[in-house]
Amino acid sequence: MSADKFIKQRSAPVDPFDPEKYIDAFYSNVAWHNDAEDSMKFFQDCLLEAFKEGTGLMSMEERQDLLREKVRNIVFCDITQPNPTASTVVDGVTFDAITCSNCLEVASFTLDDYAQSVRNICTLLKPGGYFVLEGCLEISFYRLGDQLYECYPIKENDLQDIVQKAGLEIISMKVLNYTPRPEEYYYTDCESVFAIVARKV
């Protein structure tokens, strides 16, 4: 996608979005659903909470249509590289907000790997832009089908240190501890998930 298209896409007016309110809504009402329809309703409620104080609020259906209109491309990203989107995005293009969910612990083998990936991602974020990071703390593996994948078991203190040293101000951090059912340990040993909202300074 060209730089002109990115600039045009960002120039369209949108309702004020408060990422911290989204995280607060998510973690204050968190529930684990097996039903896709229930899960969609849950995430919609969290989004509506985040937009609640905006002006000219749209319905969820209107917001979904707007999102579909704004998505112009799917960009390949390799967070282990100094410029993660070098193969598909014009050099120098930065973003207002970046989200990363359940990725870094899988892409990293060491603490240094994790820290470097966060720094690489931050090169794509414009000053004052938001970075929303979600993942698992101290997870060592997860299973998909018959395949077992190793993860880097990041600790909470190390995570906060990495984010701050990458030039980000932590606005909010939520940690949720839960006890999986015995059968769930076959798929992962994750017992703690987190969400961070940070801003590039």
Side-chain angles (χ1 to χ4, degrees):
M1 187 186 298
S2 69
D4 288 342
K5 285 186 177 180
F6 275 117
I7 293 170
K8 183 177 180 181
Q9 181 174 321
R10 290 208 300 263
S11 65
V14 295
D15 291 337
F17 176 70
D18 188 332
E20 185 175 0
K21 286 186 178 179
Y22 174 78
I23 299 302
D24 283 340
F26 185 92
Y27 281 96
S28 63
N29 300 291
V30 70
W32 305 101
H33 296 292
N34 293 321
D35 184 272
E37 185 174 343
D38 286 346
S39 297
M40 180 60 70
K41 176 66 165 58
F42 173 68
F43 285 109
Q44 287 178 350
D45 288 344
C46 292
L47 284 171
L48 289 173
E49 180 67 24
F51 281 105
K52 191 166 63 175
E53 294 186 4
T55 57
L57 295 179
M58 295 181 288
S59 68
M60 187 55 63
E61 290 74 18
E62 290 172 325
R63 200 171 296 284
Q64 289 172 341
D65 290 341
L66 179 63
L67 178 61
R68 292 188 180 99
E69 291 174 4
K70 286 184 174 292
V71 173
R72 295 289 183 266
N73 198 2
I74 296 175
V75 177
F76 175 79
C77 179
D78 183 352
I79 62 172
T80 66
Q81 299 302 311
N83 186 349
T85 59
S87 63
T88 51
V89 176
V90 177
D91 285 343
V93 172
T94 54
F95 299 87
D96 299 299
I98 296 174
T99 63
C100 181
S101 181
N102 296 294
C103 174
L104 294 181
E105 58 268 38
V106 180
S108 306
F109 294 101
T110 67
L111 184 64
D112 288 341
D113 288 344
Y114 200 109
Q116 185 61 57
S117 292
V118 172
R119 290 194 294 270
N120 292 343
I121 292 171
C122 287
T123 65
L124 302 174
L125 195 62
K126 75 176 186 179
Y130 285 100
F131 182 37
V132 180
L133 175 63
E134 296 179 282
C136 298
L137 295 173
E138 301 189 52
I139 179 178
S140 66
F141 78 93
Y142 78 95
R143 189 185 302 273
L144 186 61
D146 295 329
Q147 183 65 46
L148 189 70
Y149 297 92
E150 294 184 6
C151 301
Y152 179 73
I154 188 75
K155 298 181 183 297
E156 183 177 349
N157 289 341
D158 289 334
L159 176 62
Q160 293 181 15
D161 186 57
I162 285 171
V163 170
Q164 291 169 338
K165 286 183 177 178
L168 297 165
E169 173 193 5
I170 296 177
I171 299 172
S172 175
M173 179 171 180
K174 305 292 182 182
V175 176
L176 173 69
N177 299 308
Y178 70 100
T179 302
R181 297 186 298 271
E183 61 270 22
E184 291 180 307
Y185 282 106
Y186 174 79
Y187 297 100
T188 181
D189 61 351
C190 175
E191 296 183 0
S192 183
V193 294
F194 72 88
I196 289 178
V197 178
R199 183 169 46 227
K200 188 172 183 178
V201 295

